[in-house]
Amino acid sequence: MRHTEFWERMDHALGQASARSWASLTVIAGLGGRTVQEALDAGVAPKEVWAEVHGFLGLPATLR
């Protein structure tokens, strides 16, 4: 998964107006206690970050 696809999924799940701010503010334990943005900036693969976001938000399997 590329970063562009990751952000498209984030926009779809949270809304385009909220996705980036949510990613900068929300700490997820599965990302090492980092925010989504911090994990991406640290080089964690977007696919791995999306899996954590997906689980954290309890999104349906169709959005996996």
Side-chain angles (χ1 to χ4, degrees):
M1 172 186 296
R2 293 180 174 201
H3 282 86
T4 53
E5 182 181 353
F6 172 83
W7 287 111
E8 287 171 0
R9 290 181 183 205
M10 289 288 289
D11 289 346
H12 179 75
L14 298 167
Q16 193 171 13
S18 301
R20 291 194 184 257
S21 60
W22 187 91
S24 295
L25 297 171
T26 305
V27 174
I28 299 177
L31 295 175
R34 295 179 281 199
T35 67
V36 170
Q37 189 62 59
E38 288 171 338
L40 291 170
D41 291 346
V44 178
K47 184 176 182 177
E48 293 176 41
V49 177
W50 177 251
E52 292 296 330
V53 169
H54 186 276
F56 183 85
L57 293 174
L59 297 173
T62 57
L63 296 179
R64 196 165 293 163

